[in-house]
């Protein structure tokens, strides 16, 4: 039985809490969408109310095991201060003397945020000494990072080996809501997968094709598959690892819906031109950045039939308005269908926030890959670690 934050006496205790504060920034360094930060507040406020000492940690981006300014969590500390109306001390490392000193000096009701755990390669290698050092700063560990629950990383699965551990409120809510939704889901189920992070998603295609009535693929995942199968000459092109998985994907499966056209730019020359064209007309000098209008119509026809929709990942590079049309077509088709809609992932919630559509969907999960992994019935390493 999994323990939750309520099962512990937390007053005066140093509580290490793992969140997923993986947010995007605009060109001026402003946080674009703080949905994940807002969703962390119930756990933080509960612990503050109990006069615990809060040591918060998270990853941000993929800095490849070394410090990178644009992946710093410092802006997250400032945003937390705005919401909590109290100081959140930012500690410029998650291990070493600075972190140790800051943790020791804490009083009840105080909060520190440690710098990005992925600034150390030990995090993604699930190095146990690294996990043990961080664990030594606290008396107990709470995992509230649903978005990263599918990763076998030190602060997700390593730390629970050294401390009494449990779930936070966000993790609990995500698991309960997603489990309930899957139990009472009505067919037809339409799953829509896009986005740029494809390694986790591509491995789930086989399962999704079994469980869903329709699987729609857009965005990078779709065009890498099409390029890998020789049906699109323009990029993005799949790497070796993706090519291996591709061998097992049967794109003639009638449940699978792939793009038939694309919005693209000339790769060199800073986007010298952009156009829409059927797949067969694309050339290797061009890069696809959105689904095309024909594809939008075909996808909308499929979505129209749905009574349950699971959507993870925009189908185009929506940050550039020229390439937001595909994701807007998908969003509008889901809204029109009146299907029960579960949407997940930082990019997707960022897109919906930008177009003021968040309220139109039934449940917005903070997890992308984690949500799909859970919905497809795979074990989440974060939960297995807490069960142990
Ligand atoms: C996400 O944005 O899906 C989570 O924060 C996990 O990030 P990752 O894919 O870099 O592990």
């Amino acid at each position: 039985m999994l323990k939750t934050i309520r099962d512990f006496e937390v007053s005066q205790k140093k509580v290490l809490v793992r969140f997923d504060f993986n947010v995007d920034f605009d060109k001026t360094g402003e946080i674009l969408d703080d949905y994940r930060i807002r969703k962390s507040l119930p756990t933080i406020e509960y612990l503050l109310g109990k006069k615990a000492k809060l040591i918060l940690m998270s990853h941000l981006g993929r800095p490849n095991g070394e410090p990178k300014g644009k992946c710093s969590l410092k802006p997250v500390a400032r945003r937390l201060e705005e919401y909590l109306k109290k100081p959140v001390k930012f500690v410029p490392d998650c291990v070493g003397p600075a972190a140790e000193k800051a943790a020791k000096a804490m009083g009840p009701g105080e909060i520190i945020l440690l710098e990005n755990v992925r600034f150390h390669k030990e995090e993604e290698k699930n190095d146990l000494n690294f996990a043990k050092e961080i664990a030594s700063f606290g008396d107990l560990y709470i995992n509230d990072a649903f978005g990263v629950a599918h990763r076998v990383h030190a602060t997700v699965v390593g730390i629970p080996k050294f401390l009494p551990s449990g779930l936070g409120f966000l993790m609990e809510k995500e698991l309960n809501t997603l489990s309930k939704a899957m139990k009472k889901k009505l067919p037809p189920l339409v799953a829509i997968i896009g986005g740029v992070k494809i390694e986790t998603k591509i491995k789930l295609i086989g399962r999704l094709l079994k469980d869903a009535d329709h699987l729609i693929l857009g965005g990078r995942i779709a065009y890498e598959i099409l390029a890998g199968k020789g049906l699109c000459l323009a990029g993005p092109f799949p790497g070796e690892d993706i090519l291996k998985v591709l061998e097992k994907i049967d794109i003639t499966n009638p449940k699978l819906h792939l793009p038939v056209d694309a919005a693209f730019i000339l790769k060199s020359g800073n986007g010298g031109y952009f156009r829409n064209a059927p797949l067969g007309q694309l050339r290797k000098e061009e890069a696809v950045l959105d689904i095309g209008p024909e594809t939008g119509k075909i996808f909308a026809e499929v979505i129209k039939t749905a009574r349950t929709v699971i959507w993870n990942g925009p189908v185009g590079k929506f940050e550039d308005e020229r390439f937001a049309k595909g994701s807007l077509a998908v969003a509008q088709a889901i809204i029109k269908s009146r299907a029960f809609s579960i949407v997940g992932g930082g990019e997707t919630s960022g897109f919906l926030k930008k177009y003021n559509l968040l309220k139109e969907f039934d449940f917005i999960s903070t997890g992308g890959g984690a949500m799909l992994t859970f919905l497809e019935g795979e074990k989440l390493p974060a939960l297995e670690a807490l069960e142990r």
Side-chain angles (χ1 to χ4, degrees):
M1 183 69 183
L2 285 172
K3 289 200 165 154
T4 79
I5 192 168
R6 290 183 213 85
D7 296 320
F8 298 97
E9 179 48 69
V10 293
S11 171
Q12 315 283 322
K13 297 267 171 63
K14 285 188 183 138
V15 187
L16 274 164
V17 195
R18 175 59 157 103
F19 285 113
D20 179 351
F21 291 140
N22 188 13
V23 291
D24 286 326
F25 299 94
D26 68 13
K27 286 192 190 102
T28 68
E30 271 297 300
I31 295 173
L32 272 174
D33 171 29
D34 65 2
Y35 187 69
R36 284 175 164 165
I37 300 177
R38 283 185 280 122
K39 291 287 156 184
S40 72
L41 297 176
T43 292
I44 297 178
E45 277 159 356
Y46 173 86
L47 290 169
L48 286 176
K50 298 269 182 194
K51 295 273 175 278
K53 303 170 186 175
L54 277 75
I55 306 169
L56 315 185
M57 54 188 163
S58 176
H59 69 288
L60 196 156
R62 293 180 170 177
N64 283 328
E66 51 186 64
K68 287 210 176 95
K70 69 177 180 23
C71 294
S72 173
L73 283 165
K74 205 170 181 178
V76 173
R78 302 292 81 87
R79 184 59 60 94
L80 282 168
E81 285 181 333
E82 285 168 28
Y83 281 121
L84 297 166
K85 310 225 175 332
K86 65 179 294 161
V88 174
K89 185 178 155 62
F90 175 72
V91 183
D93 202 350
C94 66
V95 283
E100 190 185 350
K101 196 170 152 210
K104 271 201 181 127
M106 291 181 79
E110 286 181 4
I111 314 177
I112 62 174
L113 171 63
L114 305 179
E115 181 56 291
N116 193 341
V117 291
R118 288 192 186 168
F119 283 0
H120 294 268
K121 58 183 180 334
E122 289 84 354
E123 165 66 359
E124 291 180 61
K125 287 190 175 155
N126 186 21
D127 181 292
L128 280 192
N129 287 326
F130 178 76
K132 193 173 178 184
E133 181 175 351
I134 301 182
S136 74
F137 304 150
D139 301 310
L140 61 110
Y141 166 80
I142 294 297
N143 189 338
D144 218 11
F146 181 69
V148 81
H150 59 315
R151 301 283 183 225
V152 183
H153 293 174
T155 59
V156 179
V157 302
I159 296 179
K161 288 194 186 344
F162 304 102
L163 286 176
S165 304
L167 298 173
F169 292 125
L170 172 62
M171 191 77 137
E172 192 183 36
K173 182 158 187 217
E174 292 268 11
L175 298 173
N176 286 343
T177 314
L178 293 173
S179 312
K180 268 191 215 145
M182 287 324 270
K183 265 190 210 131
K184 58 173 200 199
K185 70 174 190 292
L186 293 170
L189 167 65
V190 175
I192 307 158
I193 311 292
V196 288
K197 294 180 179 176
I198 81 167
E199 349 69 61
T200 311
K201 301 173 193 176
I202 203 153
K203 293 186 194 127
L204 292 172
I205 286 182
R207 280 192 89 130
L208 282 163
L209 279 171
K210 274 197 204 109
D211 292 351
D213 298 286
H214 296 280
L215 173 61
I216 289 176
L217 298 181
R220 191 175 187 107
I221 189 167
Y223 290 96
E224 285 202 14
I225 291 175
L226 290 164
K229 297 277 186 189
L231 295 169
C232 178
L233 290 183
F237 303 107
E240 285 301 319
D241 46 337
I242 300 293
L243 279 174
K244 267 193 216 130
V245 187
L246 275 189
E247 286 167 18
K248 295 183 209 133
I249 300 174
D250 170 15
I251 58 166
T252 63
N253 186 323
K255 286 182 172 182
L256 182 62
H257 304 275
L258 282 158
V260 296
D261 61 351
F264 59 91
I265 56 166
L266 178 68
K267 257 191 272 180
S268 56
N270 212 4
Y273 62 77
F274 86 98
R275 282 205 299 269
N276 294 307
L279 286 186
Q281 289 177 19
L282 268 56
R283 301 175 305 153
K284 68 176 185 322
E285 302 77 29
E286 291 155 347
V288 175
L289 290 170
D290 194 8
I291 57 170
E294 268 316 300
T295 305
K297 280 186 211 151
I298 295 169
F299 286 1
E301 281 301 308
V302 177
I303 295 167
K304 202 162 95 179
T305 65
R307 290 180 77 194
T308 308
V309 172
I310 296 169
W311 181 19
N312 170 231
V315 296
K317 193 173 183 279
F318 72 91
E319 296 84 346
D320 178 336
E321 270 166 29
R322 293 174 299 174
F323 304 110
K325 292 192 182 79
S327 302
L328 279 169
V330 166
Q332 267 140 15
I334 299 172
I335 297 166
K336 252 187 167 168
S337 75
R338 307 175 85 93
F340 183 80
S341 51
I342 303 171
V343 180
E347 269 187 292
T348 324
S349 69
F351 163 74
L352 294 177
K353 175 159 188 266
K354 181 167 177 187
Y355 288 94
N356 216 4
L357 293 170
L358 277 168
K359 284 199 194 79
E360 306 285 344
F361 293 81
D362 293 298
F363 181 64
I364 314 276
S365 170
T366 53
M371 176 190 81
L372 288 179
T373 307
F374 182 71
L375 290 179
E376 279 314 298
E378 307 239 332
K379 292 239 168 190
L380 288 174
L383 300 186
E384 290 186 299
L386 294 179
E387 272 159 13
R388 279 198 301 266

